[in-house]
Amino acid sequence: MPRKITKSLIPGAPTHHYTVEGTHPWDYHTTQEAAEKQAAELDAQDKGDAEGRR
């Protein structure tokens, strides 16, 4: 299941922050592309972990 990406506007911040579900809130990205890349990497890691447990 793909991880959810949340877009939020932090008061006083110059731009939106994108966070990936399951990561620390301070681990944010300033572009959606970077957040999507991290989500894809984490999804692939989860899939590898699940296959390794079989």
Side-chain angles (χ1 to χ4, degrees), residues 6-40:
T6 304
K7 177 182 177 181
S8 56
L9 181 60
I10 309 300
T15 184
H16 289 90
H17 288 171
Y18 297 90
T19 54
V20 179
E21 178 183 27
T23 61
H24 194 281
W26 290 350
D27 183 18
Y28 65 87
H29 303 277
T30 54
T31 64
Q32 186 170 355
E33 293 80 16
E36 289 171 354
K37 180 180 177 186
Q38 182 187 28

